[in-house]
Amino acid sequence: MKVITLLSQKGGTGKTTIAAALSVEAERNNVQTLVVDVDPQASITKWGDRREAKTPFVISSQAERLEPLLSEAHKSGADLAVIDTPGKSGDAAALKAARLSDFILIPTRPSAHDVNAISDSIDVALLAKKSPFVLLNAVPPNADKLFSELRDVLENTYKVSVAPFYLAHRSAYMHSALTGQGAQEFDPEGKAAEEIQRLFQWVQSMLS
């Protein structure tokens, strides 16, 4: 079983929405997926409560229970676990999740303030002796130049790897969070669905 952690020490980056959509896409590709919520705000647990579909299965857990929980999920046949972590107040939980992960994704919005705040998230991953990837999220559509500029800043200033694409600012992500869906379920033919498919395929390639 592989473990992916969505990590951000800054709120409002979209990590919960991304974790939800990524988990939905995994299930759509016959990857049995468990979503683990270690955020006291329980955002993805509430998303799961609103969800009509039975999968992916969402469970709320304390960080101290993560290791036995993941072990039991593996024994039960899960192929993938996606962990949604807390923000700044949850350094210990984020670190525990990072240490148990095979892949760490740090979402950030395309503003100078958000990019400047990313060092805390990178530090958590490095403390766990893992090499994270930054995913630029909520980027204006067709803003390839902005993406290129931000990627250069992140790679050259913060010495962190960046996903080779971005997720655009699209209403499907916001609507899906409210309806207990993935963006690709809310608008199956939309651009957000294409983005999440690409994200899942890329993550799979990184885990193989």
Side-chain angles (χ1 to χ4, degrees):
M1 185 183 75
K2 299 295 185 180
V3 180
I4 301 171
T5 289
L6 275 293
L7 175 66
S8 177
Q9 296 299 94
K10 183 183 183 304
T13 62
K15 65 178 175 57
T16 297
T17 301
I18 295 168
L22 188 61
S23 302
V24 168
E25 191 63 25
E27 285 284 350
R28 287 159 68 97
N29 283 271
N30 299 314
V31 177
Q32 188 173 336
T33 304
L34 171 69
V35 180
V36 185
D37 190 351
V38 294
D39 186 348
Q41 292 185 352
S43 296
I44 206 164
T45 298
K46 294 171 185 174
W47 170 85
D49 291 341
R50 293 190 292 270
R51 186 164 173 77
E52 293 183 3
K54 295 181 179 180
T55 59
F57 184 70
V58 183
I59 187 168
S60 180
S61 176
Q62 295 181 337
E64 292 77 10
R65 294 294 305 160
L66 262 179
E67 194 162 5
L69 174 63
L70 294 175
S71 177
E72 185 61 32
H74 177 61
K75 292 177 184 176
S76 298
D79 303 305
L80 178 68
V82 177
I83 305 176
D84 190 24
T85 60
K88 185 65 178 178
S89 61
D91 286 355
L95 179 58
K96 181 69 173 179
R99 284 175 170 159
L100 294 170
S101 296
D102 299 293
F103 190 79
I104 296 174
L105 203 56
I106 302 176
T108 186
R109 290 180 178 268
S111 71
H113 180 66
D114 283 78
V115 170
N116 290 339
I118 205 168
S119 58
D120 289 341
S121 302
I122 296 171
D123 287 345
V124 171
L126 295 179
L127 189 59
K129 299 182 179 179
K130 301 295 172 69
S131 298
F133 277 85
V134 171
L135 175 66
L136 283 156
N137 183 41
V139 177
N142 304 313
D144 292 347
K145 183 177 179 182
L146 175 61
F147 168 66
S148 179
E149 291 170 350
L150 289 168
R151 182 177 58 187
D152 288 345
V153 169
L154 288 162
E155 291 179 343
N156 296 325
T157 302
Y158 295 95
K159 310 301 180 186
V160 65
S161 298
V162 179
F165 50 82
Y166 59 87
L167 302 185
H169 181 74
R170 303 190 190 279
S171 61
Y173 292 115
M174 293 177 280
H175 285 295
S176 63
L178 295 171
T179 57
Q181 296 175 293
Q184 67 274 51
E185 294 173 309
F186 180 82
D187 186 4
E189 304 300 323
K191 294 292 186 181
E194 294 178 11
E195 291 177 350
I196 294 301
Q197 289 168 10
R198 178 170 54 181
L199 174 62
F200 174 73
Q201 290 167 3
W202 175 70
V203 170
Q204 268 199 320
S205 71
M206 299 302 294
L207 287 171
S208 61

